[in-house]
Amino acid sequence: MKEIGDRKQIAEYLSRFDLAALLDKAVIDQFELHRFERGEDIFTIDERPEYLYFLVKGKVKVSILLRNGNRVLLRFCVPLSLLGDLEIANDFAVKTSVSAVSESELLALRLSRVRENLMSNPAVLRLIIRELSFKLYHNAVVKTLTSSAPLKTRIATYLLLMTSDERNERMLDELETESQAEIAELLGASYRHVNRVLNELGREGILRVSRSQIKIVDFDKLKNLASDLYG
């Protein structure tokens, strides 16, 4: 993580997402701007978060660790999303893994400051409640859809979201570090099943798959296969 000491850029983000109107100048002056590179962890499981984050640029993915040690993909987040909102009211450790899919910038406000200055602000509370309600709804929808959606659709959706930016425009042609085992773990499928589907997509001319790389050959066909499971 790199802290960007650019107060002008912070002010621009606050204005763009209509946050400045909700906050006093004393609170605005406490914001920091953090940049995370692609693949870098923002939150790791069981850590105590220091910040409430406002995602203002880029895309991040959120997964959860199950009791059996497997991870399950919950969602992708794009601007404007809140990270750390679940931990505001209670001193909870983080129970999800959050990492940057692309270079991402996040406005950061220390949780101690949030608790001191913002928990009595009705506009901020409405923003937090709206974000929490969306996450509850989204998780319920994803749980329902992933239990019935074909693995081919889930893999196409995952690969599409991992290679597009926050505007769903093409960002990458290939994933060099995404192993088939990791995809299987995140999507709750067996390695063999994922391998079969990837090979099928390869035969259809949509992907080119090797041991260490998944290259997207036909982005439009992949997009047609995908759904909004994790959007």
Side-chain angles (χ1 to χ4, degrees), residues 40 45 57 70 72-73 100 102-104 129 131-132 152 176 180 184 186 190 203-204 219 221 225:
E40 189 175 359
I45 293 170
K57 178 185 176 183
N70 292 331
V72 174
L73 181 64
S102 61
E103 181 184 86
S104 300
I129 290 170
E131 182 76 6
L132 291 174
K152 191 174 184 179
E176 296 197 14
Q180 295 182 35
L186 286 171
S190 70
R203 290 192 297 271
E204 293 174 2
F219 193 80
K221 284 186 178 179
L225 276 176

PDB file of all heavy atoms in Angstrom, residues 40 45 57 70 72-73 100 102-104 129 131-132 152 176 180 184 186 190 203-204 219 221 225:
ATOM      1  N   GLU A  40      -2.698  -6.917  -4.562  1.00  0.00           N
ATOM      2  CA  GLU A  40      -2.304  -6.569  -3.203  1.00  0.00           C
ATOM      3  C   GLU A  40      -3.489  -6.677  -2.248  1.00  0.00           C
ATOM      4  O   GLU A  40      -4.616  -6.289  -2.584  1.00  0.00           O
ATOM      5  CB  GLU A  40      -1.739  -5.158  -3.175  1.00  0.00           C
ATOM      6  CG  GLU A  40      -1.093  -4.758  -1.861  1.00  0.00           C
ATOM      7  CD  GLU A  40      -0.434  -3.389  -1.911  1.00  0.00           C
ATOM      8  OE1 GLU A  40      -0.465  -2.749  -2.978  1.00  0.00           O
ATOM      9  OE2 GLU A  40       0.099  -2.961  -0.866  1.00  0.00           O
ATOM     10  N   ILE A  45      -7.840 -11.872   6.415  1.00  0.00           N
ATOM     11  CA  ILE A  45      -8.713 -12.502   7.404  1.00  0.00           C
ATOM     12  C   ILE A  45      -8.074 -12.467   8.790  1.00  0.00           C
ATOM     13  O   ILE A  45      -6.881 -12.731   8.953  1.00  0.00           O
ATOM     14  CB  ILE A  45      -9.033 -13.945   6.986  1.00  0.00           C
ATOM     15  CG1 ILE A  45      -9.890 -13.921   5.704  1.00  0.00           C
ATOM     16  CG2 ILE A  45      -9.779 -14.694   8.087  1.00  0.00           C
ATOM     17  CD1 ILE A  45     -10.078 -15.270   5.064  1.00  0.00           C
ATOM     18  N   LYS A  57     -11.511   4.284  -7.032  1.00  0.00           N
ATOM     19  CA  LYS A  57     -10.938   3.955  -8.334  1.00  0.00           C
ATOM     20  C   LYS A  57     -10.510   2.498  -8.323  1.00  0.00           C
ATOM     21  O   LYS A  57      -9.906   2.034  -7.359  1.00  0.00           O
ATOM     22  CB  LYS A  57      -9.721   4.854  -8.632  1.00  0.00           C
ATOM     23  CG  LYS A  57      -9.036   4.530  -9.961  1.00  0.00           C
ATOM     24  CD  LYS A  57      -7.769   5.368 -10.145  1.00  0.00           C
ATOM     25  CE  LYS A  57      -7.031   4.977 -11.408  1.00  0.00           C
ATOM     26  NZ  LYS A  57      -5.759   5.741 -11.573  1.00  0.00           N
ATOM     27  N   ASN A  70     -11.661 -23.817   2.983  1.00  0.00           N
ATOM     28  CA  ASN A  70     -11.858 -23.369   1.605  1.00  0.00           C
ATOM     29  C   ASN A  70     -12.310 -21.910   1.571  1.00  0.00           C
ATOM     30  O   ASN A  70     -12.995 -21.442   2.470  1.00  0.00           O
ATOM     31  CB  ASN A  70     -12.908 -24.228   0.900  1.00  0.00           C
ATOM     32  CG  ASN A  70     -12.418 -25.642   0.673  1.00  0.00           C
ATOM     33  OD1 ASN A  70     -11.221 -25.888   0.535  1.00  0.00           O
ATOM     34  ND2 ASN A  70     -13.339 -26.593   0.642  1.00  0.00           N
ATOM     35  N   VAL A  72     -14.448 -18.921  -0.546  1.00  0.00           N
ATOM     36  CA  VAL A  72     -15.568 -18.773  -1.479  1.00  0.00           C
ATOM     37  C   VAL A  72     -15.644 -17.318  -1.902  1.00  0.00           C
ATOM     38  O   VAL A  72     -15.596 -16.413  -1.062  1.00  0.00           O
ATOM     39  CB  VAL A  72     -16.907 -19.211  -0.838  1.00  0.00           C
ATOM     40  CG1 VAL A  72     -18.072 -18.911  -1.780  1.00  0.00           C
ATOM     41  CG2 VAL A  72     -16.880 -20.695  -0.489  1.00  0.00           C
ATOM     42  N   LEU A  73     -15.757 -17.086  -3.196  1.00  0.00           N
ATOM     43  CA  LEU A  73     -15.867 -15.733  -3.721  1.00  0.00           C
ATOM     44  C   LEU A  73     -17.236 -15.159  -3.379  1.00  0.00           C
ATOM     45  O   LEU A  73     -18.270 -15.769  -3.650  1.00  0.00           O
ATOM     46  CB  LEU A  73     -15.666 -15.747  -5.234  1.00  0.00           C
ATOM     47  CG  LEU A  73     -15.715 -14.397  -5.951  1.00  0.00           C
ATOM     48  CD1 LEU A  73     -14.569 -13.501  -5.503  1.00  0.00           C
ATOM     49  CD2 LEU A  73     -15.671 -14.607  -7.465  1.00  0.00           C
ATOM     50  N   ALA A 100      -7.027  -6.205  -4.332  1.00  0.00           N
ATOM     51  CA  ALA A 100      -7.233  -5.376  -5.521  1.00  0.00           C
ATOM     52  C   ALA A 100      -7.150  -6.228  -6.779  1.00  0.00           C
ATOM     53  O   ALA A 100      -6.199  -6.993  -6.964  1.00  0.00           O
ATOM     54  CB  ALA A 100      -6.188  -4.272  -5.560  1.00  0.00           C
ATOM     55  N   SER A 102      -7.422  -4.627  -9.825  1.00  0.00           N
ATOM     56  CA  SER A 102      -6.633  -3.699 -10.634  1.00  0.00           C
ATOM     57  C   SER A 102      -6.041  -2.657  -9.688  1.00  0.00           C
ATOM     58  O   SER A 102      -6.382  -2.633  -8.501  1.00  0.00           O
ATOM     59  CB  SER A 102      -7.523  -3.017 -11.678  1.00  0.00           C
ATOM     60  OG  SER A 102      -8.550  -2.277 -11.040  1.00  0.00           O
ATOM     61  N   GLU A 103      -5.155  -1.821 -10.195  1.00  0.00           N
ATOM     62  CA  GLU A 103      -4.662  -0.738  -9.352  1.00  0.00           C
ATOM     63  C   GLU A 103      -5.865   0.048  -8.834  1.00  0.00           C
ATOM     64  O   GLU A 103      -6.714   0.477  -9.604  1.00  0.00           O
ATOM     65  CB  GLU A 103      -3.747   0.187 -10.145  1.00  0.00           C
ATOM     66  CG  GLU A 103      -3.179   1.322  -9.316  1.00  0.00           C
ATOM     67  CD  GLU A 103      -2.339   2.290 -10.116  1.00  0.00           C
ATOM     68  OE1 GLU A 103      -2.919   3.230 -10.694  1.00  0.00           O
ATOM     69  OE2 GLU A 103      -1.116   2.097 -10.177  1.00  0.00           O
ATOM     70  N   SER A 104      -5.930   0.195  -7.521  1.00  0.00           N
ATOM     71  CA  SER A 104      -7.120   0.790  -6.899  1.00  0.00           C
ATOM     72  C   SER A 104      -6.720   1.897  -5.936  1.00  0.00           C
ATOM     73  O   SER A 104      -5.680   1.808  -5.275  1.00  0.00           O
ATOM     74  CB  SER A 104      -7.916  -0.288  -6.150  1.00  0.00           C
ATOM     75  OG  SER A 104      -8.342  -1.307  -7.025  1.00  0.00           O
ATOM     76  N   ILE A 129     -25.823   2.249   6.082  1.00  0.00           N
ATOM     77  CA  ILE A 129     -26.943   1.305   6.092  1.00  0.00           C
ATOM     78  C   ILE A 129     -27.260   0.838   4.674  1.00  0.00           C
ATOM     79  O   ILE A 129     -27.526  -0.346   4.440  1.00  0.00           O
ATOM     80  CB  ILE A 129     -28.179   1.950   6.751  1.00  0.00           C
ATOM     81  CG1 ILE A 129     -27.938   2.117   8.254  1.00  0.00           C
ATOM     82  CG2 ILE A 129     -29.432   1.101   6.507  1.00  0.00           C
ATOM     83  CD1 ILE A 129     -28.991   2.963   8.948  1.00  0.00           C
ATOM     84  N   GLU A 131     -25.188   0.601   2.192  1.00  0.00           N
ATOM     85  CA  GLU A 131     -24.122  -0.311   1.781  1.00  0.00           C
ATOM     86  C   GLU A 131     -24.300  -1.679   2.424  1.00  0.00           C
ATOM     87  O   GLU A 131     -24.160  -2.720   1.772  1.00  0.00           O
ATOM     88  CB  GLU A 131     -22.763   0.277   2.162  1.00  0.00           C
ATOM     89  CG  GLU A 131     -21.567  -0.554   1.735  1.00  0.00           C
ATOM     90  CD  GLU A 131     -21.248  -0.449   0.252  1.00  0.00           C
ATOM     91  OE1 GLU A 131     -21.882   0.370  -0.444  1.00  0.00           O
ATOM     92  OE2 GLU A 131     -20.369  -1.202  -0.211  1.00  0.00           O
ATOM     93  N   LEU A 132     -24.619  -1.710   3.709  1.00  0.00           N
ATOM     94  CA  LEU A 132     -24.809  -2.980   4.403  1.00  0.00           C
ATOM     95  C   LEU A 132     -26.005  -3.745   3.852  1.00  0.00           C
ATOM     96  O   LEU A 132     -25.950  -4.971   3.686  1.00  0.00           O
ATOM     97  CB  LEU A 132     -24.984  -2.734   5.905  1.00  0.00           C
ATOM     98  CG  LEU A 132     -23.748  -2.237   6.662  1.00  0.00           C
ATOM     99  CD1 LEU A 132     -24.117  -1.894   8.105  1.00  0.00           C
ATOM    100  CD2 LEU A 132     -22.638  -3.285   6.640  1.00  0.00           C
ATOM    101  N   LYS A 152     -19.802 -23.326 -16.077  1.00  0.00           N
ATOM    102  CA  LYS A 152     -19.295 -22.609 -17.243  1.00  0.00           C
ATOM    103  C   LYS A 152     -19.650 -21.126 -17.153  1.00  0.00           C
ATOM    104  O   LYS A 152     -18.828 -20.249 -17.446  1.00  0.00           O
ATOM    105  CB  LYS A 152     -19.877 -23.231 -18.508  1.00  0.00           C
ATOM    106  CG  LYS A 152     -19.230 -22.758 -19.800  1.00  0.00           C
ATOM    107  CD  LYS A 152     -19.785 -23.566 -20.973  1.00  0.00           C
ATOM    108  CE  LYS A 152     -19.094 -23.210 -22.272  1.00  0.00           C
ATOM    109  NZ  LYS A 152     -19.634 -24.020 -23.392  1.00  0.00           N
ATOM    110  N   GLU A 176      -2.029 -14.312 -15.319  1.00  0.00           N
ATOM    111  CA  GLU A 176      -0.820 -15.123 -15.210  1.00  0.00           C
ATOM    112  C   GLU A 176      -0.674 -15.782 -13.851  1.00  0.00           C
ATOM    113  O   GLU A 176       0.098 -16.716 -13.697  1.00  0.00           O
ATOM    114  CB  GLU A 176       0.416 -14.264 -15.512  1.00  0.00           C
ATOM    115  CG  GLU A 176       0.425 -13.748 -16.942  1.00  0.00           C
ATOM    116  CD  GLU A 176       1.790 -13.265 -17.366  1.00  0.00           C
ATOM    117  OE1 GLU A 176       2.765 -13.574 -16.672  1.00  0.00           O
ATOM    118  OE2 GLU A 176       1.869 -12.581 -18.392  1.00  0.00           O
ATOM    119  N   GLN A 180      -5.743 -22.716 -11.706  1.00  0.00           N
ATOM    120  CA  GLN A 180      -7.026 -23.400 -11.794  1.00  0.00           C
ATOM    121  C   GLN A 180      -7.493 -23.852 -10.411  1.00  0.00           C
ATOM    122  O   GLN A 180      -8.692 -23.863 -10.128  1.00  0.00           O
ATOM    123  CB  GLN A 180      -6.921 -24.585 -12.748  1.00  0.00           C
ATOM    124  CG  GLN A 180      -6.649 -24.166 -14.185  1.00  0.00           C
ATOM    125  CD  GLN A 180      -6.585 -25.341 -15.149  1.00  0.00           C
ATOM    126  OE1 GLN A 180      -7.304 -26.319 -14.979  1.00  0.00           O
ATOM    127  NE2 GLN A 180      -5.727 -25.242 -16.154  1.00  0.00           N
ATOM    128  N   ALA A 184     -11.062 -22.952  -8.716  1.00  0.00           N
ATOM    129  CA  ALA A 184     -11.931 -23.999  -8.191  1.00  0.00           C
ATOM    130  C   ALA A 184     -12.317 -23.724  -6.749  1.00  0.00           C
ATOM    131  O   ALA A 184     -13.485 -23.866  -6.357  1.00  0.00           O
ATOM    132  CB  ALA A 184     -11.222 -25.353  -8.301  1.00  0.00           C
ATOM    133  N   LEU A 186     -12.341 -20.776  -5.120  1.00  0.00           N
ATOM    134  CA  LEU A 186     -13.184 -19.588  -4.990  1.00  0.00           C
ATOM    135  C   LEU A 186     -14.612 -19.841  -5.456  1.00  0.00           C
ATOM    136  O   LEU A 186     -15.561 -19.288  -4.896  1.00  0.00           O
ATOM    137  CB  LEU A 186     -12.580 -18.432  -5.778  1.00  0.00           C
ATOM    138  CG  LEU A 186     -11.343 -17.766  -5.185  1.00  0.00           C
ATOM    139  CD1 LEU A 186     -10.743 -16.789  -6.180  1.00  0.00           C
ATOM    140  CD2 LEU A 186     -11.673 -17.057  -3.888  1.00  0.00           C
ATOM    141  N   SER A 190     -14.819 -28.555  -7.972  1.00  0.00           N
ATOM    142  CA  SER A 190     -13.631 -29.406  -7.934  1.00  0.00           C
ATOM    143  C   SER A 190     -12.636 -28.950  -9.001  1.00  0.00           C
ATOM    144  O   SER A 190     -13.012 -28.362 -10.029  1.00  0.00           O
ATOM    145  CB  SER A 190     -14.015 -30.864  -8.189  1.00  0.00           C
ATOM    146  OG  SER A 190     -14.414 -31.051  -9.534  1.00  0.00           O
ATOM    147  N   ARG A 203     -11.400 -25.254 -26.446  1.00  0.00           N
ATOM    148  CA  ARG A 203     -11.796 -25.863 -27.724  1.00  0.00           C
ATOM    149  C   ARG A 203     -12.755 -24.958 -28.500  1.00  0.00           C
ATOM    150  O   ARG A 203     -12.784 -24.983 -29.737  1.00  0.00           O
ATOM    151  CB  ARG A 203     -12.446 -27.222 -27.477  1.00  0.00           C
ATOM    152  CG  ARG A 203     -11.478 -28.292 -26.994  1.00  0.00           C
ATOM    153  CD  ARG A 203     -12.105 -29.667 -27.043  1.00  0.00           C
ATOM    154  NE  ARG A 203     -13.251 -29.778 -26.152  1.00  0.00           N
ATOM    155  CZ  ARG A 203     -13.186 -30.140 -24.864  1.00  0.00           C
ATOM    156  NH1 ARG A 203     -11.991 -30.401 -24.322  1.00  0.00           N
ATOM    157  NH2 ARG A 203     -14.257 -30.222 -24.125  1.00  0.00           N
ATOM    158  N   GLU A 204     -13.529 -24.149 -27.769  1.00  0.00           N
ATOM    159  CA  GLU A 204     -14.476 -23.237 -28.412  1.00  0.00           C
ATOM    160  C   GLU A 204     -13.805 -21.949 -28.891  1.00  0.00           C
ATOM    161  O   GLU A 204     -14.462 -21.074 -29.461  1.00  0.00           O
ATOM    162  CB  GLU A 204     -15.607 -22.896 -27.441  1.00  0.00           C
ATOM    163  CG  GLU A 204     -16.504 -24.085 -27.105  1.00  0.00           C
ATOM    164  CD  GLU A 204     -17.526 -23.765 -26.032  1.00  0.00           C
ATOM    165  OE1 GLU A 204     -17.570 -22.602 -25.571  1.00  0.00           O
ATOM    166  OE2 GLU A 204     -18.280 -24.673 -25.639  1.00  0.00           O
ATOM    167  N   PHE A 219     -12.992 -12.095 -26.243  1.00  0.00           N
ATOM    168  CA  PHE A 219     -13.601 -11.406 -25.107  1.00  0.00           C
ATOM    169  C   PHE A 219     -15.119 -11.309 -25.266  1.00  0.00           C
ATOM    170  O   PHE A 219     -15.872 -11.445 -24.296  1.00  0.00           O
ATOM    171  CB  PHE A 219     -12.998 -10.004 -24.996  1.00  0.00           C
ATOM    172  CG  PHE A 219     -13.286  -9.294 -23.713  1.00  0.00           C
ATOM    173  CD1 PHE A 219     -12.559  -9.569 -22.565  1.00  0.00           C
ATOM    174  CD2 PHE A 219     -14.289  -8.333 -23.642  1.00  0.00           C
ATOM    175  CE1 PHE A 219     -12.817  -8.904 -21.378  1.00  0.00           C
ATOM    176  CE2 PHE A 219     -14.559  -7.664 -22.462  1.00  0.00           C
ATOM    177  CZ  PHE A 219     -13.820  -7.958 -21.321  1.00  0.00           C
ATOM    178  N   LYS A 221     -17.218 -13.383 -26.850  1.00  0.00           N
ATOM    179  CA  LYS A 221     -17.863 -14.667 -26.570  1.00  0.00           C
ATOM    180  C   LYS A 221     -17.880 -14.948 -25.072  1.00  0.00           C
ATOM    181  O   LYS A 221     -18.862 -15.481 -24.543  1.00  0.00           O
ATOM    182  CB  LYS A 221     -17.140 -15.799 -27.306  1.00  0.00           C
ATOM    183  CG  LYS A 221     -17.443 -15.867 -28.790  1.00  0.00           C
ATOM    184  CD  LYS A 221     -16.799 -17.097 -29.419  1.00  0.00           C
ATOM    185  CE  LYS A 221     -17.137 -17.200 -30.906  1.00  0.00           C
ATOM    186  NZ  LYS A 221     -16.486 -18.394 -31.531  1.00  0.00           N
ATOM    187  N   LEU A 225     -21.243 -15.430 -22.449  1.00  0.00           N
ATOM    188  CA  LEU A 225     -21.451 -16.553 -21.532  1.00  0.00           C
ATOM    189  C   LEU A 225     -21.678 -16.105 -20.106  1.00  0.00           C
ATOM    190  O   LEU A 225     -22.306 -16.803 -19.314  1.00  0.00           O
ATOM    191  CB  LEU A 225     -20.211 -17.466 -21.553  1.00  0.00           C
ATOM    192  CG  LEU A 225     -20.111 -18.517 -22.657  1.00  0.00           C
ATOM    193  CD1 LEU A 225     -18.764 -19.223 -22.545  1.00  0.00           C
ATOM    194  CD2 LEU A 225     -21.256 -19.506 -22.568  1.00  0.00           C
TER     195      LEU A 225
END
